[in-house]
Structure formats: C-alpha cells, structure tokens
Amino acid sequence: MSVRLAHGPGEAPRPMPVTAVVALGANLGRRAETLAAAVDELRRLTLTSDVRVSEPIETVAVTLDGEDEDAPRYLNAVALLSTRLAPAELLASLHRIEARHGRVRRERWGDRTLDLDLIAYGDDVIDGPDLVVPHPRAHEREFVLGPWVELDPDAEIPGRGRIADLLEGLRP
C-alpha cells in the first residue's frame, strides 16, 4: 500500500515527522481502561511512531461556567507522538478513536467516555473552520500543561511561550 493511500484523502503526508501533542480525557465509564486503549490505538496510527504518554491525573470537570465539583471527575493525560499525518488527517483519526470508544458529540464541554484534543502540531499555527492549532485554551489548562511538562519540560506553545512558565502562572 502506498503512503498516500495509508494516509487517507486530503493534504499529503508530511515528508518529515512532526511532534504532535494530544490531550486525552475521560470522565465516564472505565476511564483508565479507556485511556489505555486509546493510547494503544495512537501507537497503531499509520505514519506515526514514538508515542510517549504522561502519567494520568484525576481532575475536576471544567464546563463553560467553570469547575463543576458535582460532575464525574476526569482522568487526563497527554501524549506526544511523532507523525507524518497531515493535521486534518490526524484530527480525523482522533475522532475515529473517540467514536470507537462511545464518544457522542452532543453537548460542548459535556461528560464523555473519551476526549482526544489535538493541542499542538509542531510549530504550526492553524486557524481553520474545523481545526485550530495550537488549541485555543491549552495555555489555560493545568490538566494539559502539567502532564505535558512531565514529558517535555522545554516545550512551547507557539504564540504563548514555554509551557513550564504558563503552568507556573496558573498555580497559586
């Protein structure tokens, strides 16, 4: 099978791998098992290798109105992966993994069996109708920055700065 066919339709695969950052979260069902299965699927993505994953952390649910102590708690982690998949194809792959784990997109910021967010794609800045990278709220989320800094203490969010400094600014 050709690389082009393995990649899927749309933008061509990258000639050189890029490091992508994916945030994982689940607050319904068997959270730990779901995250572990999702990581296994990330490791099997075409044109993708070197998947590294942070230790999961438990966090309070965040909604449009702020933290919701009454909602089921989330288990969150961050994965770094080296991929040649184009950003849109990587996002589509993440959505397929979510769907296989029962994710239904009904309510924005609602409870979910699995949430996979594309946080960063190398140094790319993308502002499209279906994809915004870096993730527009990643710099405000301790549950993203904390696990990410564990994997890559020198990482930066394009246009925002070092994640270690961003994380320090969020902590009292």
Side-chain angles (χ1 to χ4, degrees), residues 85-123:
L85 290 172
E89 182 59 30
L90 178 56
L91 181 64
S93 296
L94 298 179
H95 288 172
R96 286 190 294 272
I97 293 170
E98 288 176 336
R100 283 193 291 273
H101 290 277
R103 170 74 187 268
V104 179
R105 294 179 178 276
R106 286 191 198 115
E107 175 188 356
R108 188 171 183 201
W109 296 28
D111 295 335
R112 55 202 64 167
T113 55
L114 181 63
D115 185 31
L116 299 176
D117 285 334
L118 182 55
I119 301 298
Y121 186 88
D123 293 329

Coordinates of all heavy atoms in Angstrom, one line a residue, residues 85-123:
L85 N 1.4 12.2 9.5 CA 0.0 12.5 9.1 C -0.2 14.0 9.1 O 0.3 14.7 9.9 CB -1.0 11.9 10.1 CG -1.1 10.4 10.2 CD1 -2.0 10.0 11.4 CD2 -1.7 9.9 8.9
A86 N -0.9 14.5 8.1 CA -1.3 15.9 8.0 C -2.2 16.2 9.2 O -2.9 15.3 9.7 CB -2.0 16.2 6.7
P87 N -2.2 17.5 9.6 CA -3.0 17.8 10.8 C -4.5 17.4 10.7 O -5.0 16.8 11.6 CB -2.9 19.3 10.9 CG -1.7 19.7 10.1 CD -1.5 18.6 9.1
A88 N -5.1 17.6 9.6 CA -6.5 17.3 9.4 C -6.7 15.8 9.5 O -7.7 15.3 10.0 CB -7.1 17.9 8.1
E89 N -5.8 15.0 8.9 CA -5.9 13.6 8.9 C -5.7 13.0 10.3 O -6.3 12.1 10.8 CB -4.9 12.9 7.9 CG -5.0 11.4 7.9 CD -6.4 10.8 7.5 OE1 -7.1 11.5 6.8 OE2 -6.8 9.8 8.0
L90 N -4.8 13.6 11.1 CA -4.5 13.3 12.5 C -5.8 13.5 13.3 O -6.2 12.7 14.1 CB -3.3 14.0 13.1 CG -3.0 13.7 14.5 CD1 -2.8 12.2 14.8 CD2 -1.8 14.5 15.0
L91 N -6.4 14.7 13.1 CA -7.6 15.0 13.8 C -8.7 14.0 13.5 O -9.4 13.6 14.4 CB -8.1 16.4 13.5 CG -9.3 16.9 14.2 CD1 -9.1 17.0 15.7 CD2 -9.8 18.3 13.7
A92 N -8.9 13.7 12.2 CA -9.9 12.7 11.8 C -9.6 11.4 12.5 O -10.6 10.7 12.9 CB -9.9 12.6 10.3
S93 N -8.4 11.0 12.6 CA -8.0 9.7 13.3 C -8.4 9.8 14.7 O -8.9 8.8 15.3 CB -6.5 9.5 13.1 OG -6.2 9.3 11.7
L94 N -8.2 10.9 15.4 CA -8.5 11.1 16.8 C -10.0 11.0 16.9 O -10.5 10.3 17.9 CB -8.0 12.4 17.3 CG -6.5 12.7 17.3 CD1 -6.2 14.0 17.9 CD2 -5.8 11.6 18.1
H95 N -10.8 11.5 16.0 CA -12.3 11.5 16.1 C -12.7 10.0 15.9 O -13.7 9.6 16.6 CB -12.9 12.4 15.1 CG -12.8 13.8 15.4 ND1 -13.2 14.8 14.6 CD2 -12.3 14.5 16.6 CE1 -12.9 16.0 15.1 NE2 -12.4 15.8 16.3
R96 N -12.1 9.3 15.0 CA -12.5 7.9 14.9 C -12.2 7.0 16.1 O -13.0 6.2 16.5 CB -11.7 7.3 13.6 CG -12.3 7.8 12.3 CD -11.7 7.0 11.1 NE -10.3 7.2 10.9 CZ -9.8 8.2 10.2 NH1 -10.5 9.1 9.6 NH2 -8.5 8.3 10.0
I97 N -11.1 7.3 16.8 CA -10.8 6.6 18.0 C -11.8 6.9 19.1 O -12.3 6.1 19.8 CB -9.3 7.0 18.5 CG1 -8.3 6.4 17.6 CG2 -9.1 6.4 20.0 CD1 -6.9 6.9 17.8
E98 N -12.2 8.2 19.2 CA -13.2 8.6 20.2 C -14.5 7.9 19.9 O -15.1 7.3 20.8 CB -13.5 10.1 20.0 CG -12.4 11.0 20.6 CD -12.8 12.5 20.4 OE1 -13.5 12.8 19.4 OE2 -12.2 13.3 21.1
A99 N -14.9 7.8 18.6 CA -16.2 7.2 18.2 C -16.1 5.7 18.6 O -17.2 5.1 19.1 CB -16.4 7.3 16.8
R100 N -15.0 5.0 18.4 CA -14.9 3.6 18.8 C -15.1 3.4 20.3 O -15.4 2.3 20.7 CB -13.6 3.0 18.3 CG -13.6 2.7 16.8 CD -12.4 1.9 16.4 NE -11.1 2.5 16.5 CZ -10.6 3.3 15.5 NH1 -11.2 3.5 14.4 NH2 -9.4 3.8 15.7
H101 N -14.8 4.4 21.0 CA -15.0 4.3 22.5 C -16.3 5.0 23.0 O -16.4 5.3 24.2 CB -13.7 4.9 23.2 CG -12.5 4.1 23.0 ND1 -12.3 3.0 23.7 CD2 -11.6 4.1 22.0 CE1 -11.1 2.4 23.3 NE2 -10.7 3.1 22.2
G102 N -17.2 5.1 22.1 CA -18.5 5.6 22.5 C -18.7 7.1 22.6 O -19.8 7.5 23.1
R103 N -17.8 7.9 22.1 CA -17.9 9.3 22.2 C -19.0 9.8 21.3 O -19.0 9.4 20.1 CB -16.6 10.0 21.8 CG -16.7 11.5 21.6 CD -16.8 12.3 22.9 NE -17.1 13.7 22.8 CZ -16.1 14.6 22.7 NH1 -14.9 14.3 22.8 NH2 -16.4 15.9 22.6
V104 N -20.0 10.5 21.8 CA -21.0 11.1 21.0 C -20.9 12.6 21.2 O -20.9 13.1 22.3 CB -22.4 10.6 21.5 CG1 -23.5 11.2 20.6 CG2 -22.5 9.1 21.3
R105 N -20.9 13.4 20.1 CA -20.7 14.8 20.2 C -22.1 15.5 20.2 O -22.6 15.9 19.2 CB -19.9 15.3 19.1 CG -18.5 14.8 19.1 CD -17.6 15.3 17.9 NE -16.3 14.9 18.1 CZ -15.4 15.5 18.8 NH1 -15.6 16.6 19.4 NH2 -14.1 15.0 18.9
R106 N -22.7 15.5 21.4 CA -24.0 16.2 21.6 C -23.8 17.6 22.2 O -24.4 18.5 21.8 CB -24.9 15.4 22.4 CG -25.5 14.2 21.7 CD -26.6 13.5 22.6 NE -26.8 12.2 22.1 CZ -26.5 11.1 22.8 NH1 -26.1 11.2 24.1 NH2 -26.7 9.9 22.3
E107 N -23.1 17.6 23.3 CA -23.0 18.8 24.2 C -21.6 19.2 24.3 O -20.7 18.4 24.6 CB -23.6 18.4 25.6 CG -23.4 19.5 26.6 CD -23.8 19.1 28.0 OE1 -24.3 17.9 28.1 OE2 -23.7 19.9 28.9
R108 N -21.3 20.5 24.0 CA -20.0 21.0 24.1 C -19.6 21.1 25.6 O -20.4 21.5 26.4 CB -19.9 22.4 23.5 CG -18.5 22.9 23.4 CD -18.4 24.2 22.6 NE -17.0 24.6 22.5 CZ -16.6 25.8 22.3 NH1 -17.5 26.7 22.0 NH2 -15.4 26.1 22.2
W109 N -18.5 20.5 25.9 CA -17.9 20.5 27.3 C -18.7 19.6 28.2 O -18.7 19.8 29.4 CB -17.8 21.9 27.9 CG -16.8 22.8 27.1 CD1 -16.5 22.7 25.8 CD2 -16.1 23.9 27.7 NE1 -15.6 23.7 25.5 CE2 -15.3 24.5 26.6 CE3 -16.0 24.5 28.9 CZ2 -14.5 25.5 26.8 CZ3 -15.2 25.5 29.1 CH2 -14.4 26.1 28.1
G110 N -19.4 18.6 27.6 CA -20.2 17.7 28.4 C -19.4 16.5 28.9 O -18.2 16.4 28.5
D111 N -20.0 15.6 29.7 CA -19.3 14.4 30.1 C -19.1 13.6 28.9 O -19.8 13.6 27.9 CB -20.3 13.6 31.1 CG -20.5 14.4 32.3 OD1 -19.7 15.2 32.7 OD2 -21.5 14.2 33.0
R112 N -18.0 12.7 29.0 CA -17.6 11.9 27.8 C -16.8 10.7 28.2 O -16.1 10.7 29.1 CB -16.9 12.8 26.8 CG -15.6 13.4 27.4 CD -15.2 14.6 26.6 NE -16.1 15.6 26.6 CZ -15.9 16.9 26.2 NH1 -14.8 17.2 25.8 NH2 -16.9 17.7 26.3
T113 N -17.0 9.7 27.3 CA -16.3 8.4 27.5 C -14.8 8.6 27.1 O -13.9 8.0 27.7 CB -16.9 7.3 26.7 OG1 -16.9 7.7 25.3 CG2 -18.3 6.9 27.2
L114 N -14.6 9.5 26.1 CA -13.2 9.7 25.7 C -13.2 11.1 25.0 O -14.0 11.4 24.1 CB -12.7 8.6 24.7 CG -11.3 8.8 24.2 CD1 -10.3 8.7 25.3 CD2 -11.0 7.7 23.2
D115 N -12.2 11.9 25.3 CA -11.9 13.1 24.6 C -10.5 13.1 24.2 O -9.6 13.0 25.0 CB -12.2 14.3 25.5 CG -12.1 15.7 24.8 OD1 -12.4 15.7 23.6 OD2 -11.8 16.6 25.5
L116 N -10.2 13.3 22.9 CA -8.9 13.4 22.3 C -8.8 14.8 21.6 O -9.4 15.0 20.6 CB -8.6 12.3 21.4 CG -8.6 10.9 21.9 CD1 -8.4 9.9 20.8 CD2 -7.6 10.7 23.0
D117 N -8.0 15.7 22.2 CA -7.8 17.0 21.6 C -6.4 17.1 21.0 O -5.4 16.8 21.7 CB -8.0 18.1 22.7 CG -9.4 18.3 23.1 OD1 -10.3 18.0 22.2 OD2 -9.6 18.8 24.2
L118 N -6.3 17.6 19.8 CA -5.0 18.0 19.2 C -4.6 19.3 19.7 O -5.2 20.3 19.4 CB -5.2 18.0 17.6 CG -3.9 18.3 16.9 CD1 -2.8 17.3 17.2 CD2 -4.1 18.2 15.4
I119 N -3.6 19.3 20.6 CA -3.2 20.5 21.3 C -2.2 21.3 20.4 O -2.3 22.5 20.3 CB -2.6 20.2 22.6 CG1 -3.6 19.4 23.5 CG2 -2.1 21.4 23.3 CD1 -4.9 20.2 23.8
A120 N -1.2 20.6 19.9 CA -0.2 21.3 19.1 C 0.3 20.3 18.0 O 0.2 19.1 18.2 CB 1.0 21.7 20.0
Y121 N 0.7 20.9 16.9 CA 1.2 20.1 15.8 C 2.5 20.8 15.4 O 2.5 21.8 14.6 CB 0.2 20.1 14.7 CG 0.6 19.2 13.5 CD1 0.2 17.9 13.5 CD2 1.3 19.8 12.4 CE1 0.6 17.1 12.4 CE2 1.6 19.0 11.3 CZ 1.3 17.6 11.3 OH 1.6 16.8 10.3
G122 N 3.6 20.4 16.0 CA 4.9 21.0 15.7 C 4.8 22.5 16.1 O 4.2 22.8 17.1
D123 N 5.4 23.3 15.3 CA 5.3 24.8 15.5 C 4.2 25.4 14.6 O 4.0 26.6 14.5 CB 6.6 25.5 15.1 CG 7.7 25.1 16.1 OD1 7.4 24.8 17.3 OD2 8.9 25.0 15.7

